[in-house]
Amino acid sequence: MTGSTNNRSTLPTRQQIVDVCGPREDTNVLKYEVDGAPPLFIKFGFDLVGEAETQRYLYEQSARDPDAPRLPKVYDSFEVGPIGLQQGFIVMEYIEALTVEYWLEKKPEMAELLYDKVAEAVRWVLNCPVPPEPRFGPVGRGPARHMAFADRIAPLEFESTGAVQRYFNKVGRKLIPHVNHCSQYMMMPPGS
């Protein structure tokens, strides 16, 4: 198992987290409760390392800003499984709050206020300072992860958006002859 942690004495072990999340088809999040300890929120799935690092960064920014939206603290993040197929886990603070969906159902007259609050939170995130070493990929470390890459992991760490563009241009040049050939074949009338 690989990952990083922000120690909290009441955290379950990583194996306990893996076991409680188990194979699920209906959700990729859960509230984890153990007697005597504050509840935790666990998110699990693929490509979560970058999300955890970014969330840590945003939490640090919010802790310094009294006008920031309330963001959960990340206590632990890790991956298990073979490269390219790792299952990721983010263990974070559980924030007890009613959802926007709940308020809209119970108090629809508050819709405009709720949408304004959501927009305000999104604006806050968009206006956060850029990390000290901006890069293409997760905050802090590692290659970019996205389904556009083989095995969902970039083959290298990109130092700039220009490097990303050069990479995809090179890949595109390799694919274009194949794509053109396929499209010509697909457009031929039957029997030719």
Side-chain angles (χ1 to χ4, degrees):
M1 286 186 218
T2 61
S4 60
T5 185
N6 264 343
N7 282 334
R8 183 184 139 186
S9 60
T10 57
L11 280 181
T13 67
R14 289 180 170 178
Q15 189 58 56
Q16 287 172 318
I17 292 166
V18 170
D19 292 345
V20 76
C21 292
R24 295 174 183 255
E25 294 181 17
D26 59 333
T27 186
N28 69 332
V29 297
L30 62 87
K31 180 179 179 181
Y32 183 87
E33 297 182 89
V34 175
D35 291 338
L40 299 169
F41 187 76
I42 302 173
K43 182 173 185 179
F44 49 98
F46 296 100
D47 299 331
L48 293 180
V49 171
E51 182 176 331
E53 293 301 319
T54 301
Q55 189 171 329
R56 276 190 180 94
Y57 175 77
L58 290 172
Y59 173 80
E60 290 167 8
Q61 297 302 308
S62 74
R64 297 182 200 137
D65 182 354
D67 297 325
R70 175 85 191 276
L71 299 177
K73 181 175 184 175
V74 173
Y75 296 120
D76 193 11
S77 62
F78 62 97
E79 296 178 315
V80 296
I83 292 178
L85 298 173
Q86 294 109 331
Q87 176 84 5
F89 298 84
I90 305 174
V91 181
M92 63 191 99
E93 173 185 16
Y94 181 84
I95 298 174
E96 192 74 48
L98 299 173
T99 65
V100 171
E101 180 181 59
Y102 170 85
W103 282 109
L104 290 175
E105 185 179 302
K106 299 293 182 189
K107 302 241 183 198
E109 67 275 9
M110 294 184 65
E112 191 170 329
L113 174 65
L114 291 168
Y115 293 139
D116 287 346
K117 289 293 187 186
V118 171
E120 190 178 304
V122 170
R123 272 192 298 278
W124 182 87
V125 169
L126 292 173
N127 289 313
C128 272
V130 174
E133 297 178 25
R135 51 190 300 283
F136 184 82
V139 173
R141 64 177 173 86
R145 294 170 179 249
H146 192 275
M147 65 179 63
F149 300 111
D151 295 328
R152 297 180 174 209
I153 300 174
L156 56 115
E157 292 188 31
F158 299 107
E159 296 302 321
S160 67
T161 54
V164 175
Q165 184 173 1
R166 286 189 299 278
Y167 172 81
F168 280 108
N169 286 344
K170 185 176 179 181
V171 169
R173 282 191 298 275
K174 289 180 179 180
L175 292 176
I176 286 174
H178 176 69
V179 170
N180 285 342
H181 174 72
C182 288
S183 62
Q184 288 171 355
Y185 174 75
M186 302 278 285
M187 297 175 83
M188 292 174 64
S192 29

